[in-house]
Amino acid sequence: IRNNTGNFGGGIGAAYSWAIFDNVVINNNDALVDGGAMYITQSNLTVSNSEIFENTASDLAGGILCYWNSNINFDHVLIHHNSSDSASAVYVLDAHPSFTNTTITDNLSNPSGQAILIEDGDITISNSIIWNNGPDEIDTAGICNVNINYSII
């Protein structure tokens, strides 16, 4: 999924959806607002054995925006070189993503920010690496539950 532009979800926009993405490359997409690679709301998704890179968003989540009651499982995914004004790799608002055997690296928020921003959500990170994304790898606001197991942050 390459070279697309949209307001919300430059590469993929999913609302009220159930989907499995396996062995997918999501690259060089641009969101004019939020979710450069993926904008997910009220959906259940699995992304596995995939790469998400060089996507941009003007506001939130150059990589993935996880919104309103979404459950998203990332397994064996490489998320890198995405950029936005805030939450360069992943933005979570009242959603429940999990990352297993996933690497999140070299994402950039302008002028400075975090790779992952969680607002009122739950996130689980297991056997993963979050590295070299700027001054803050993970930031939280509101009521959050962050579970990190066997990972390098």
Side-chain angles (χ1 to χ4, degrees):
I1 302 170
R2 293 187 169 132
N3 304 320
N4 298 292
T5 300
N7 288 327
F8 298 93
I12 296 169
Y16 305 98
S17 302
W18 289 79
I20 296 172
F21 296 93
D22 185 38
N23 200 25
V24 174
V25 173
I26 305 172
N27 168 244
N28 199 37
N29 299 290
D30 181 45
L32 302 175
V33 184
D34 298 331
M38 304 175 82
Y39 184 97
I40 311 303
T41 182
Q42 298 183 5
S43 297
N44 293 291
L45 282 95
T46 297
V47 180
S48 57
N49 306 305
S50 297
E51 185 176 14
I52 300 169
F53 68 105
E54 296 176 349
N55 300 285
T56 61
S58 295
D59 192 16
L60 294 170
I64 302 130
L65 188 133
C66 308
Y67 219 42
W68 303 114
N69 294 318
S70 291
N71 295 295
I72 308 165
N73 299 308
F74 296 90
D75 187 17
H76 289 91
V77 177
L78 176 58
I79 303 168
H80 65 97
H81 293 96
N82 299 289
S83 63
S84 63
D85 281 343
S86 184
S88 60
V90 180
Y91 175 75
V92 177
L93 177 60
D94 192 27
H96 318 284
S98 67
F99 299 87
T100 305
N101 301 310
T102 293
T103 298
I104 300 173
T105 188
D106 296 312
N107 297 284
L108 176 65
S109 288
N110 296 315
S112 63
Q114 62 290 103
I116 300 172
L117 175 58
I118 307 150
E119 294 189 59
D120 297 323
D122 303 318
I123 187 171
T124 301
I125 300 167
S126 301
N127 299 315
S128 295
I129 299 169
I130 301 173
W131 189 261
N132 199 37
N133 294 290
D136 297 318
E137 301 293 342
I138 300 172
D139 199 0
T140 60
I143 300 170
C144 302
N145 185 15
V146 180
N147 296 303
I148 301 171
N149 303 298
Y150 306 105
S151 298
I152 298 172
I153 308 292

